[in-house]
Amino acid sequence: MKTQPQTTLLGLDLEELTRIAEEAGEPAYRGRQLFEALYRGRVAFAEQISTMPKSFRGRMGELGFVIGALGTERRFLSRDGTVRYLLGLADGETVETVWMPEGDGGEEGDGSDGGERGWRRATICVSSQVGCAVNCQFCLTALLGVRRNLTAGEILGQVIAVLNDQKVSPPLERVNLVFMGMGEPLLNYENFVKAVRILVEGVGIPESRMTVSTAGIVPRIYDLGGEPIRPKLAISLTAANDELRSRLMPLNRKWDVGKLMLAAREFPLRSREKLTFEYVLLRGTNDSPEHARELAELVRGMRVKVNLIALNPGPGVEFETPDPSTVVRFQQILMASGIPAFVRRPRGRDIYAACGQLKRMVETAT
Ligand code: SAH
């Protein structure tokens, strides 16, 4: 039997699926059927595609078509209901994805008050690269360096793997996506944007329920603003002046606060949309009242909100978490200046699932 080169289907858009169906001598509508089965139906095996004739399902293997679903290698469950997934990729690399069922009245997210599903609203935190090249001094993922970009199929495949594992069925109106896992999404721009498009059009998650966070890749922020389909934008600021930001986030030497803020101000917001700034609070470094006032000054007049994240500690990270009272004081200064400010609740710290902690920690099983 002659060996076929393999074609991974997950990550192909409708046009591409239609083309490969036609090349295989099938009618064009087979492409639409594949698209629906892969993304709406979230099938893992060709045999599950009940809309297609058995003959073609059987032939898919001979044609070298593989679906390319991500396998769950490990699952870590937090006390707060958060689940950190270690997902396997075709080349043996792994990537982390986090499931966060929202507090639901039974505030632990443990299903005590969430009806049948055990949650009313949930968020999936998606990775965009294996590792990261950006080197923020307070982030554990940075310690890995960047190993490679994820393909579009691997980005959206994380969402599919988690939805399937959590048995979430359409309509998906209570699922939010944040592209805030491992990696810098805007340094993997094409694959990221393609994944978003398929997640919207195929999987059925509205773009208004998606947020991408960037460390500040300025030219790509302009590009993102021009995309017809895009998530909301969050920018990891963490310092409001160049001296401090360059120390904490070395990429600031390339795209400084001035350039970043110009891109932020010019970002074309949709009606009722707000830009988010994330600010990781580091004890004794960027958490004083003066720092808060400096931040307030910087974003004055913009349609923004600020998400404050108290540092999630980890081995190899030199910084410490501020006291809760320091965090509240910082928040109050922003609020008093008319800037909506929220303190992000750490999720899954005990299983290294919280912001800045994703590092393929296979060893912290619970
Ligand atoms: N590369 C993108 C996506 C990662 S998002 C970005 O930098 O925005 C992860 C968020 O967690 C960012 O806002 C980042 O600043 C923040 N973060 C990184 N390390 C952290 C840590 N140790 N504790 C808390 N937040 C952290």
Side-chain angles (χ1 to χ4, degrees):
M1 213 170 91
K2 79 176 188 308
T3 49
Q4 275 279 349
Q6 288 203 333
T7 306
T8 303
L9 300 183
L10 218 52
L12 300 185
D13 59 22
L14 179 58
E15 207 173 292
E16 292 166 324
L17 289 168
T18 303
R19 195 172 61 234
I20 64 161
E22 285 177 330
E23 280 167 7
E26 292 288 321
Y29 64 77
R30 203 69 80 216
R32 166 64 70 181
Q33 288 176 328
L34 281 169
F35 187 82
E36 292 293 329
L38 287 170
Y39 302 125
R40 200 72 50 147
R42 307 192 318 243
V43 299
F45 306 103
E47 300 75 62
Q48 295 171 303
I49 310 179
S50 54
T51 51
M52 298 197 316
K54 267 210 160 65
S55 58
F56 181 64
R57 279 185 261 168
R59 217 154 68 78
M60 282 176 63
E62 293 161 35
L63 291 163
F65 291 175
V66 293
I67 289 187
L70 278 58
T72 299
E73 294 196 356
R74 299 290 293 273
R75 204 188 270 106
F76 305 92
L77 178 62
S78 164
R79 289 166 31 213
D80 69 12
T82 300
V83 182
R84 178 165 63 94
Y85 289 88
L86 189 72
L87 301 176
L89 310 176
D91 64 352
E93 290 285 3
T94 54
V95 74
E96 298 191 350
T97 312
V98 182
W99 165 259
M100 294 172 276
E102 216 71 351
D104 49 30
E107 223 9 75
E108 290 296 301
D110 60 2
S112 53
D113 193 25
E116 254 174 58
R117 270 170 160 177
W119 51 274
R120 291 190 177 152
R121 199 162 80 86
T123 301
I124 301 174
C125 180
V126 182
S127 293
S128 56
Q129 298 179 309
V130 182
C132 189
V134 176
N135 203 22
C136 301
Q137 298 299 295
F138 44 86
C139 180
L140 274 183
T141 307
L143 301 174
L144 292 172
V146 68
R147 297 177 60 93
R148 69 169 174 86
N149 279 337
L150 296 178
T151 64
E154 289 167 340
I155 295 173
L156 65 90
Q158 296 168 62
V159 177
I160 290 178
V162 172
L163 290 175
N164 284 346
D165 189 67
Q166 295 289 337
K167 303 191 171 51
V168 183
S169 44
L172 301 178
E173 72 244 351
R174 298 182 305 163
V175 174
N176 301 289
L177 300 184
V178 294
F179 298 93
M180 303 187 182
M182 301 170 89
E184 169 49 54
L186 300 194
L187 288 180
N188 184 15
Y189 189 83
E190 298 298 331
N191 292 334
F192 163 70
V193 167
K194 185 178 186 192
V196 166
R197 226 175 58 223
I198 296 173
L199 284 163
V200 172
E201 292 172 346
V203 180
I205 301 174
E207 60 188 323
S208 58
R209 292 201 160 274
M210 301 181 184
T211 304
V212 60
S213 177
T214 181
I217 312 299
V218 167
R220 296 288 89 77
I221 293 176
Y222 286 102
D223 291 343
L224 188 71
E227 294 291 341
I229 296 179
R230 62 155 179 85
K232 293 182 285 184
L233 177 64
I235 295 175
S236 299
L237 193 61
T238 294
N241 68 70
D242 282 323
E243 192 270 318
L244 186 53
R245 193 163 190 271
S246 292
R247 189 149 63 80
L248 300 173
M249 302 176 69
L251 99 163
N252 191 70
R253 297 191 190 115
K254 184 156 186 184
W255 295 295
D256 62 21
V257 174
K259 289 182 186 141
L260 182 59
M261 293 307 291
L262 189 62
R265 284 179 188 277
E266 291 184 357
F267 193 76
L269 295 171
R270 295 179 283 236
S271 62
R272 269 177 295 148
E273 185 181 359
K274 274 183 185 165
L275 197 64
T276 301
F277 284 105
E278 292 144 299
Y279 193 101
V280 181
L281 288 162
L282 311 166
R283 179 189 207 122
T285 300
N286 66 352
D287 61 348
S288 73
E290 294 80 77
H291 290 117
R293 283 190 284 271
E294 188 181 35
L295 174 59
E297 198 51 49
L298 190 69
V299 304
R300 186 180 303 285
M302 297 175 73
R303 229 200 298 158
V304 294
K305 63 172 177 160
V306 173
N307 275 350
L308 300 171
I309 317 172
L311 177 82
N312 294 306
V317 167
E318 302 296 315
F319 297 95
E320 288 172 41
T321 309
D323 295 328
S325 61
T326 309
V327 176
V328 170
R329 183 182 61 185
F330 200 97
Q331 179 188 26
Q332 282 170 347
I333 293 171
L334 294 174
M335 304 279 273
S337 313
I339 296 153
F342 303 87
V343 179
R344 197 185 281 168
R345 182 160 60 105
R347 298 298 304 263
R349 261 192 194 172
D350 56 335
I351 54 161
Y352 281 90
C355 298
Q357 292 189 313
L358 299 186
K359 201 201 158 206
R360 303 187 301 164
M361 299 272 281
V362 192
E363 59 274 28
T364 47
T366 48

